[in-house]
Amino acid sequence: MADGFPNSTCTPPRARPARALLYLPLLCGLIVSFILLLAASLALVDDRTIEAKLRQSLATGVFSAGEYPTSPYGDSGHRYDMFSECVAFSIGHGESDQNLFARLIASNFVAEPSTITRTNYRACHALKTALDNGDLKANANYFRFWHGYQVYMRPMLAYFGLDGMRRANLVALYGAILFFAVSLAPLVGGWGVVWVVAALALTGDYFTMPLVTVHALPTAWIFFSAGLAARMMSAGPALRAAVPLFVFAAGAIANFLSFLFNPPLAPTLIAFVALAHAAWNGEGLGWRAQARAFWLAAIWFAGFFLTWLAKWALAAVVLGPDFVLQDVMVSASGQHYAAAGDARAHLWLGPTLTLLFEENAGIARAFFTTAMVCAILIR
């Protein structure tokens, strides 16, 4: 009863305005931290060491130069995304003579001059060619993302190589999923955890994911942050009152790490945890619990999108506002992506709309949603 709402994640009305003032300095502090972390990863880790490790991985066969090589796991013919990983490998390389701030904001990568628009672009082919020729130099910008995974990827590649980094990816991803499951267990019980984990296992490729850092690292953060939110909701009044601020920060960090692979999973899990907590503490699943879950999801998206906008604003300062606006608008249409060929038309957010209504994705969403509802009801 200390916060006026027993065992809830709500805060008393008089506390809300004061706490609302904390979101802006929190966002500013996170943005400054992101810039410093990226600057450190670029300044302190030598490009040549990373390039030597990548050449070694190519020679030993650990690094396949194909864009979408066949996975060693799962069904025959299943492929995984080395295309995005190869783009990530080459971010910021060969630019040590340039201004550090401009370098981390522009986020240049290695591209073949003839395919620099990314239509039918072969990222791994371009990277392998540059490594073979000894002239790995980023020549095309990718400013629309923070590419915060570089803070992890660059030192891991330099000191442990590609194979070692993939092993670390596996530990981070599976450890985060285990942490989420353990944190969720008090709210939904053992069988509820089984339902949720089974749904995740059957609707996602968690065997191959550790091979691709730009998939594994953001996903690990999603599960870890959702598990931490569950623990905070079940803790004392002070931590429960800080849940919205934490969720906002979690969204911002997710954008920092994200290459835009399944970010909605995070607010989905957090909203699910909020509903599970409401059922666990006896409040029930009425409109207050539903509104709270929706509000936490909205706060997460606010942190995610404001952090994204901050990167675009910084890019506009470095690259010019006209260039940035044109690139963002064209990229949102999907016209410069090979994947856009699967869309019904080149409409605004066409690829996204196609994914939302694609048959197999719809089946997976329905199964996952059913499993999460069952997890709460079983408890």
Side-chain angles (χ1 to χ4, degrees), residues 132-290:
D132 290 342
N133 295 336
D135 59 350
L136 185 59
K137 184 175 178 61
N139 60 347
N141 73 78
Y142 213 152
F143 69 84
R144 281 175 289 105
F145 299 105
W146 278 96
H147 303 283
Y149 51 79
Q150 293 289 325
V151 174
Y152 167 87
M153 177 180 281
R154 287 179 63 86
M156 289 298 295
L157 279 175
Y159 293 103
F160 301 104
L162 181 56
D163 192 41
M165 183 175 69
R166 286 175 169 175
R167 295 176 189 274
N169 294 346
L170 185 147
V171 172
L173 178 62
Y174 289 6
I177 294 174
L178 178 62
F179 176 76
F180 173 71
V182 171
S183 301
L184 187 63
L187 302 181
V188 299
W191 282 110
V193 171
V194 170
W195 270 98
V196 173
V197 172
L200 290 168
L202 293 173
T203 57
D205 183 8
Y206 294 92
F207 286 108
T208 306
M209 192 180 294
L211 299 178
V212 185
T213 307
V214 296
H215 288 234
L217 190 62
T219 305
W221 169 249
I222 286 172
F223 283 108
F224 179 78
S225 60
L228 197 54
R231 288 179 177 267
M232 292 175 69
M233 290 178 195
S234 303
L239 281 178
R240 286 200 302 273
V243 167
L245 279 171
F246 168 74
V247 170
F248 180 84
I253 295 171
N255 184 267
F256 178 64
L257 298 173
S258 178
F259 223 153
L260 215 60
F261 296 114
N262 199 20
L265 177 62
T268 299
L269 292 178
I270 290 171
F272 164 69
V273 166
L275 291 173
H277 179 264
W280 171 75
N281 69 15
E283 181 184 350
L285 300 177
W287 69 269
R288 284 173 61 90
Q290 296 174 40

Side-chain angles (χ1 to χ4, degrees), residues 287-303:
W287 69 269
R288 284 173 61 90
Q290 296 174 40
R292 188 183 308 120
F294 179 84
W295 175 238
L296 289 176
I299 290 174
W300 187 96
F301 276 114

Side-chain angles (χ1 to χ4, degrees), residues 61-73 75-86 89 124-125 162 166 205 208 211-212:
V62 174
F63 175 21
S64 171
E67 314 299 315
Y68 298 96
T70 301
S71 170
Y73 311 107
D75 297 332
S76 175
H78 173 65
R79 298 181 181 277
Y80 62 98
D81 179 21
M82 278 303 296
F83 171 90
S84 300
E85 192 83 335
C86 288
F89 286 160
C124 294
H125 181 269
L162 181 56
R166 286 175 169 175
D205 183 8
T208 306
L211 299 178
V212 185

